Amino acid sequence: MRRLVAFLLTAAALEAPSGAQPRPPVPTISPIDALRAEFAAAAGGNIVYFGLGASQLSLQARTTLAAQAMWIRQHSEVSVRIEGHGDANDTRDHALAMGAKRAQAVRDYLMMLDVPSAQVSVMSWGKERPGAGRAMTMLAN
């Protein structure tokens, strides 16, 4: 059915009257990108923020993580990767350690909310991708 629709759309574009501007192709979204959008919408986002130099979860972060945990538990076929980020002004080693602490804090909280550990991995970006005190929960490919 999709091929037929694509063929009909292509044929219609080829038969456009002269002088008419053809429509640009409609971008397609990959299944993982669709899941990521669904996850972010259902959980209120995929980023939690930390104070400067801190790795403790705020009340707002816990609220976001509770919504993320609910979605992750409902989608056992999905794996998530928690990416911890350091602060831009930290040394390389300190930023890497801070990113790891932040990612681990998020993972520990998700585990406390009964997210299966097999669905979750963590990593720290340190200064390679400074994130101004944040950790991101990303759906893994």
Side-chain angles (χ1 to χ4, degrees), residues 50-98:
F50 295 85
L52 186 64
S55 61
Q56 295 80 26
L57 295 169
S58 67
L59 179 59
Q60 183 177 5
R62 288 183 183 135
T63 302
T64 299
L65 291 172
Q68 288 180 4
M70 186 183 322
W71 190 93
I72 295 166
R73 286 192 315 264
Q74 292 170 351
H75 293 83
S76 60
E77 75 283 3
V78 172
S79 296
V80 297
R81 180 180 63 236
I82 301 164
E83 299 178 349
H85 296 263
D87 298 319
N89 295 331
D90 289 340
T91 65
R92 184 178 186 282
D93 290 341
H94 189 265
L96 196 60
M98 184 56 67

